[in-house]
Structure formats: structure tokens, C-alpha cells
Amino acid sequence: MSNVTMKVNGKPVSGDVEGRTLLVDFLRGPLGLTGTHVGCDTSQCGACVVHVNGEAVKACAMFALEAEGAEVRTIEGMAEADGSLGTIQAAFQEHHGLQCGFCTPGMVMSAAALLKDNPKPSEAEIREYLEGNICRCTGYHNIVKAILAASGQDVPAIAAE
């Protein structure tokens, strides 16, 4: 067992972990941050996306010990200071960018990373960026609309592909 220390959603945390403990398991287990989902355990689905030092990572593909000293942000850290929904979360709600909600935390975290790097992405850029996130319910159209809205752009009618 080794001790790991990091900041999660702005708060210092630490805990004892085995070397093989994945970041997603540390977040969900000892820290109780269950918004980060485990979907596939193979880093294919994107349900476990979190930000580590400002970069989007799949928490099922990173050991907790690799986050030693890091700043980690989870979906729970995306809310406003007063607890209300953040801009991206509110856009997902307003534009029905979720159905079952399982992929939503990873989609929101990926959207935040995209908008940090590209504040006004096109529909095509959004779709390309989200290729690492799988949604089995929505067909992605409303997710794309939500991200366009969160970026402050007009939300056109998006044709089915």
C-alpha cells in the first residue's frame, strides 16, 4: 500500500492505495465521488473522463498513484459555487443532451476540455472530439446542440446522419 495525495475539486485528499488501484476506483471508492462512471474498463467509452491538471483523461486508464500531487476535477466539481448547474451541465439539461445519463458525466467533462481548447467549435469539430465517448441513447444530436449552446453559439437544427 502507498499513500497518494491530490486535490480533488479544490479540496486536498489522501488515501492508501495499492499500486494497481485505478484513479476511477479511488474517486468512486474512498472518496465517494460516484459521478465518474465505470463503463467499459478498457478506456473505450469515455464515461470515466475527469480532468487531471487541466487535461481530460480517462480515469479507468490511469493509476491513482499517477495523480500524486495533481489537481483533479470530476463531474461533481463542475457545479457553480452555489451548487447550481454549471454552464455545460445546464446546456445539457436545456437541450436534452442526456437520456439514461450514464455517459453524461464523461460527455460534460469532455465538452469542458473541448471548450477550453476551442471556445467556438463547429458541429463537425464537436463530433470529432467526442469520438472517444460512447452514448447508446441519444444519437449525439442533442449532445452536440448542448455543446454549441454552452459555447454561446446559435443552436441550429441538426439533421440526422
Side-chain angles (χ1 to χ4, degrees):
M1 295 287 259
S2 298
N3 189 271
V4 64
T5 301
M6 63 187 77
K7 258 190 186 172
V8 178
N9 300 326
K11 297 176 185 169
V13 300
S14 65
D16 290 326
V17 296
E18 293 183 27
R20 65 182 179 189
T21 302
L22 298 173
L23 179 58
V24 69
D25 294 324
F26 181 66
L27 295 170
R28 291 180 57 81
L31 300 186
L33 298 171
T34 57
T36 302
H37 292 160
V38 178
C40 66
D41 283 326
T42 60
S43 75
Q44 301 295 310
C45 75
C48 67
V49 172
V50 298
H51 296 175
V52 177
N53 293 330
E55 298 297 319
V57 301
K58 292 182 178 178
C60 77
M62 181 177 190
F63 293 116
L65 289 172
E66 291 179 288
E68 173 64 35
E71 297 265 347
V72 178
R73 188 173 189 194
T74 69
I75 189 68
E76 289 89 350
M78 295 297 288
E80 298 295 336
D82 65 2
S84 63
L85 295 177
T87 302
I88 298 169
Q89 293 168 310
F92 267 69
Q93 182 181 43
E94 181 181 342
H95 293 278
H96 310 287
L98 56 111
Q99 283 184 355
C100 82
F102 193 81
C103 72
T104 305
M107 289 287 187
V108 168
M109 298 306 290
S110 291
L114 169 62
L115 295 177
K116 181 184 97 175
D117 294 338
N118 183 354
K120 301 287 184 194
S122 67
E123 177 185 340
E125 289 169 326
I126 293 168
R127 288 182 182 279
E128 181 179 343
Y129 195 87
L130 293 179
E131 284 183 357
N133 295 73
I134 296 173
C135 176
R136 290 179 170 89
C137 299
T138 68
Y140 300 91
H141 304 301
N142 290 342
I143 292 169
V144 173
K145 288 179 183 179
I147 296 170
L148 286 168
S151 73
Q153 298 181 77
D154 290 333
V155 179
I158 296 176
E161 292 180 354

